[in-house]
Amino acid sequence: MSLFSTGETQNPDWIQAHRSISLLLNGLGYNPVGNIFSRCAPYSLEGEFNSILRQSGRKCRFNGRSRRRNVCLIRRDIAGFESWRKVKEHLVQEQEQLRQECVHLQSRLNAVLNECQKEREEKLLLREQLWQTGTELQQQAEFCSGLGSAACSLLWSCSAREDTVSHWLADGKLQAFLAVTAQTLEIFVKSLDEEVKTQVEDHNCQEHQFVLALARTITNIAAVTCGQDFLSNSAYNLLDTLMNLLGRMNPGVFPRLKVLMLMAVYNVSISVKGLKHITENPALLPLIWKMLDEGDWEVCLHSLRLLQSVEEVLLLLGSSLLDPNLQACVSKLTSSMQVSLRLTAQQTLEDLQALQQAADAGRPVLTLSDNFLM
């Protein structure tokens, strides 16, 4: 009995599988020859089949692992895509929100730009109006200064006559005029502290001529008896203003105005009531002392004359009139090159020395002074 017949009789299922494998091998181009293959066919075909099965299993396992890895990668990519999609949706929402905010800010910016443009145009218009108003005010100030200078020059000329001053007093308008004069002098002296260019007298300046004409008019009113009485009784505030302004003005500033105000105070001191009011002012002697240190000789001259007018009353009031420093200050003026100043200083020094002797002896010394008319 052959191997194939024995196997066919004993195991027909195996034979059927062998035939199937043979057909498969023949299809793959494998053609066994000889009896050796025939004798060993059952064993060789089974091993070959097992080898093929193992190779197929390894390939399947490799493919399975590859597919699992691919599935993991795909799942990871899908998860990343989902997260990216969510991030993209969030970014789209933020972008839309930012776009809306940009549109809102752009609209606000346009509104603000429109308002700025309107304000710029309004400012330009206001600046032009301000410039025009300033020009008009300057023209009006120059006109008022010129008119005031001319009017006060006429008043100054008229005030030189005593009957004119009496007529002014009878008319009842002198009180208002003196109040305006005091206010004008205060404003002008305040401007002297703020502007350096106005501290020097300018003969071509209408404002300076206006102020000087006012001061000359006051001096002339104080030079007549009725004017002295009026200033002592009803316009003593003007006297306080004049002395206050003299104390506020710096040395060397507008000496001509100082001279006129000193002359006005001196003229009022001729009156008994005026002398009483002036000497009751505690700032009088420090004011005179300050004026004596002035560099202008006319200011020093009229300060000495005012001192001569009030020295006896000041001594009675117990002031420091006999201070050696004051006598030394007056003594310096006795060497002045100006004759009138030198003579007045010598006379004042003699009066102070006489007052000193009288004070030591306990007896009064009387002096006389004349009033000034501008």
Side-chain angles (χ1 to χ4, degrees):
M1 181 180 292
S2 64
L3 179 63
F4 289 98
S5 62
T6 303
E8 184 178 9
T9 305
Q10 295 176 356
N11 195 356
D13 295 332
W14 180 88
I15 295 174
Q16 186 66 28
H18 179 265
R19 290 176 181 176
S20 299
I21 293 173
S22 297
L23 292 176
L24 177 62
L25 295 175
N26 290 329
L28 295 173
Y30 182 78
N31 187 15
V33 293
N35 295 327
I36 297 174
F37 177 78
S38 300
R39 289 190 301 268
C40 298
Y43 177 76
S44 299
L45 288 176
E46 183 179 3
E48 191 71 22
F49 178 74
N50 293 331
S51 177
I52 292 173
L53 288 178
R54 286 194 297 272
Q55 292 178 0
S56 299
R58 286 196 297 270
K59 289 182 180 180
C60 290
R61 287 193 297 272
F62 176 77
N63 292 333
R65 286 194 297 271
S66 299
R67 286 187 177 88
R68 283 195 297 271
R69 287 196 299 269
N70 292 334
V71 169
C72 293
L73 292 175
I74 291 172
R75 287 179 179 177
R76 186 176 62 184
D77 292 340
I78 291 174
F81 176 76
E82 289 294 330
S83 61
W84 179 84
R85 185 176 60 81
K86 292 180 180 179
V87 171
K88 182 180 178 180
E89 292 178 354
H90 181 68
L91 292 177
V92 169
Q93 293 177 358
E94 288 185 351
Q95 184 179 6
E96 181 64 21
Q97 184 178 0
L98 291 175
R99 189 186 66 80
Q100 293 178 358
E101 291 179 358
C102 289
V103 172
H104 177 65
L105 292 176
Q106 184 67 34
S107 62
R108 290 183 61 184
L109 177 61
N110 294 332
V112 171
L113 290 176
N114 293 331
E115 292 179 359
C116 290
Q117 183 65 25
K118 291 180 181 179
E119 291 181 357
R120 188 178 294 109
E121 294 176 356
E122 291 177 357
K123 287 181 178 179
L124 292 175
L125 180 60
L126 291 175
R127 185 176 299 175
E128 183 179 359
Q129 293 178 354
L130 180 61
W131 181 81
Q132 293 178 354
T133 304
T135 304
E136 293 176 357
L137 288 176
Q138 183 65 27
Q139 294 175 354
Q140 292 179 2
E142 293 177 356
F143 172 77
C144 292
S145 297
L147 180 61
S149 177
C152 289
S153 297
L154 292 176
L155 289 176
W156 169 39
S157 300
C158 296
S159 62
R161 301 180 57 182
E162 185 175 359
D163 56 345
T164 302
V165 177
S166 300
H167 179 71
W168 290 349
L169 291 173
D171 191 44
K173 299 296 180 63
L174 188 58
Q175 182 71 35
F177 170 75
L178 295 178
V180 173
T181 301
Q183 184 179 5
T184 304
L185 292 175
E186 286 182 351
I187 295 174
F188 180 75
V189 171
K190 183 179 179 181
S191 68
L192 293 179
D193 298 333
E194 298 174 352
E195 300 182 12
V196 179
K197 62 181 181 179
T198 60
Q199 295 185 1
V200 181
E201 180 181 353
D202 185 3
H203 297 284
N204 297 323
C205 180
Q206 296 291 342
E207 183 181 3
H208 289 189
Q209 298 304 317
F210 170 53
V211 173
L212 291 176
L214 281 176
R216 291 188 180 104
T217 304
I218 297 299
T219 303
N220 286 348
I221 292 175
V224 299
T225 304
C226 58
Q228 295 170 5
D229 295 337
F230 179 79
L231 292 176
S232 302
N233 296 324
S234 302
Y236 52 87
N237 291 332
L238 177 62
L239 300 176
D240 296 335
T241 299
L242 293 178
M243 289 189 287
N244 184 23
L245 295 179
L246 284 170
R248 286 170 51 185
M249 295 177 69
N250 295 325
V253 175
F254 220 111
R256 188 58 186 167
L257 180 60
K258 292 179 180 178
V259 169
L260 292 173
M261 290 193 291
L262 285 170
M263 292 171 65
V265 175
Y266 171 81
N267 286 341
V268 176
S269 68
I270 303 300
S271 172
V272 176
K273 292 183 179 180
L275 179 62
K276 181 177 181 297
H277 180 77
I278 292 173
T279 53
E280 287 177 351
N281 192 330
L284 176 61
L285 188 58
L287 172 63
I288 296 175
W289 206 326
K290 177 183 177 181
M291 293 295 106
L292 290 176
D293 291 332
E294 192 77 26
D296 187 81
W297 69 272
E298 286 188 286
V299 176
C300 296
L301 174 62
H302 290 282
S303 299
L304 289 175
R305 288 176 175 172
L306 179 60
L307 179 60
Q308 288 178 345
S309 178
V310 300
E311 57 188 10
E312 291 185 8
V313 180
L314 290 178
L315 182 62
L316 293 176
L317 293 176
S319 64
S320 57
L321 183 63
L322 301 180
D323 192 328
N325 294 327
L326 179 59
Q327 296 185 15
C329 183
V330 176
S331 179
K332 291 180 182 179
L333 300 177
T334 57
S335 60
S336 174
M337 299 298 295
Q338 298 293 333
V339 178
S340 58
L341 177 59
R342 184 173 63 251
L343 294 177
T344 305
Q346 291 174 356
Q347 183 182 0
T348 305
L349 185 60
E350 292 174 358
D351 291 343
L352 292 176
Q353 292 174 354
L355 287 173
Q356 182 67 50
Q357 295 175 1
D360 295 339
R363 54 187 178 84
V365 177
L366 300 178
T367 58
L368 298 176
S369 300
D370 295 328
N371 57 341
F372 290 93
L373 184 65
M374 285 298 297

